Each structure stands twice: as structure tokens, then as C-alpha cells.
Amino acid sequence: MIKSRHPEPQFVIGPLGNRLTIANLPAPDTRRWVMLRKAEVVVAVHGGLLSLDEACDRYQLTREEFMAWQRSIDRYGFAGLRVTRLQQYRK
């Protein structure tokens, strides 16, 4: 087995400045995706805590859904993940 040159991080800094580990990410059976939970998953993938495929498998997300979350953060910051704000941002 070949080992990665860059070991996986033990934690990443979450959207609220806290340490996120695999253990304190949203539960795999999460069904209600509020802004903070979405942001935590995106930050975990971006920081290398989870791969995109691992996140999609763990949370039963499509790649398109995850990428939509990422685009919302890129364009509008974490507030762009609010469901109630989507209509305002789409105009």
C-alpha cells in the first residue's frame, strides 16, 4: 500500500472558528440541512478532513448538490447557504 505524502488532518477549523473532527461533523443520517451543517461539511472537504466522494457517500449527497453549496459560499459567504436567502440571491 502506498501512503500519501500529505497525511490527512486530524481536524480543520470550522466556520465558527471551532475545531472540526470526523467525530463532531454532522451525523451521517442528517436530513435537515441548516446553514451551519452545510458549511461544516464544505469546510471539512476543503480542509482535507473528508474527500468529496466520502462526504457524498456519508451524507447521501450528489456531487451537484455539494458543488451548489460550495458555489453559494464562494459567491455569498456562509450566509449564501441559507435556504430563505436563495430567492434573493437568484435574482
Side-chain angles (χ1 to χ4, degrees), residues 21-84:
T21 64
I22 295 291
N24 63 10
L25 284 174
D29 61 349
T30 297
R31 295 289 175 246
R32 186 166 182 268
W33 285 102
V34 296
M35 178 181 70
L36 181 60
R37 291 182 191 137
K38 292 176 188 178
E40 288 174 338
V41 173
V42 172
V43 167
V45 171
H46 182 56
L49 196 58
L50 292 173
S51 71
L52 175 57
D53 290 333
E54 289 170 332
C56 289
D57 288 344
R58 179 179 170 110
Y59 297 111
Q60 298 177 1
L61 302 171
T62 64
R63 291 175 80 87
E64 292 78 18
E65 187 173 13
F66 179 87
M67 296 310 290
W69 294 355
Q70 180 65 56
R71 280 191 304 275
S72 291
I73 291 172
D74 291 345
R75 290 181 185 164
Y76 309 111
F78 291 117
L81 295 172
R82 287 182 167 160
V83 174
T84 56

